């Protein structure tokens, strides 16, 4: 699984003008993509990494300060544009595989004690955020 993690001071995702997920204040906005070989254990490892990643102010983690996470599925993280001008999506897991894996990341985060907001899988989403730093990191588990 891949995740683009942004330290934020607030973030929200809307679908059709309706806010479906929002965090206020310090937290993480996490775009998550899955590939064909990912499993429930991969999702659990990613959740543990996100919960304990020390990237908040003062080198704290979400677990240290109870900061929320906004998790948004993002199959385009596995896009490949090395050849030509149009990306291919061959490495991205199809929806029937990816959706339960992204949900598993959220479920594992919640089991660890996290407050998790989400987007809506497969929907045309608008994500707005204030990147704090700016700070963005790519994770791969």
């Amino acid at each position: 699984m891949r995740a683009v993690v942004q330290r934020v001071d607030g973030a929200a995702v809307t679908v059709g003008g309706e806010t479906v997920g929002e965090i206020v204040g310090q937290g993480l906005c996490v775009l998550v993509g899955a590939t064909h070989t990912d499993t429930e254990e991969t999702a659990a490892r990613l959740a543990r990494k996100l919960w304990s990643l020390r990237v908040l102010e003062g080198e704290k983690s979400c677990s240290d300060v109870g900061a929320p996470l906004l998790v948004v599925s993002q199959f385009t993280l596995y896009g490949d544009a090395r050849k030509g001008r149009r990306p291919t999506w061959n490495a991205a897991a199809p929806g029937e595989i990816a959706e339960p894996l992204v949900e598993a990341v959220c479920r594992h985060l919640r089991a660890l004690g996290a407050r998790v907001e989400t987007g809506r899988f497969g929907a045309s989403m608008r994500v707005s955020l204030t990147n704090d730093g700016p700070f963005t990191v790519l994770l791969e588990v």
Side-chain angles (χ1 to χ4, degrees), residues 3 5 12 16 27 45 49 56 66 92 94 138 140:
V5 181
R45 278 196 330 264
K49 184 74 165 182
L56 298 178
L138 176 65
E140 194 152 4

Side-chain angles (χ1 to χ4, degrees), residues 7-81:
R7 181 177 65 197
V8 298
D9 183 19
V13 61
T14 60
V15 175
E18 172 196 0
T19 300
V20 297
E22 181 176 27
I23 61 174
V24 177
Q26 177 178 244
L28 298 178
C29 181
V30 185
L31 307 177
V32 176
T35 192
H36 303 280
T37 56
D38 290 328
T39 64
E40 178 81 19
E41 178 50 37
T42 312
R45 278 196 330 264
L46 179 59
R48 288 190 301 269
K49 184 74 165 182
L50 291 168
W51 187 231
S52 62
L53 192 63
R54 302 179 74 76
V55 295
L56 298 178
E57 187 176 329
E59 295 187 9
K60 302 285 186 187
S61 67
C62 288
S63 66
D64 292 332
V65 298
L69 299 94
L70 176 63
V71 177
V72 180
S73 65
Q74 187 73 39
F75 79 94
T76 61
L77 293 181
Y78 280 98
D80 185 352

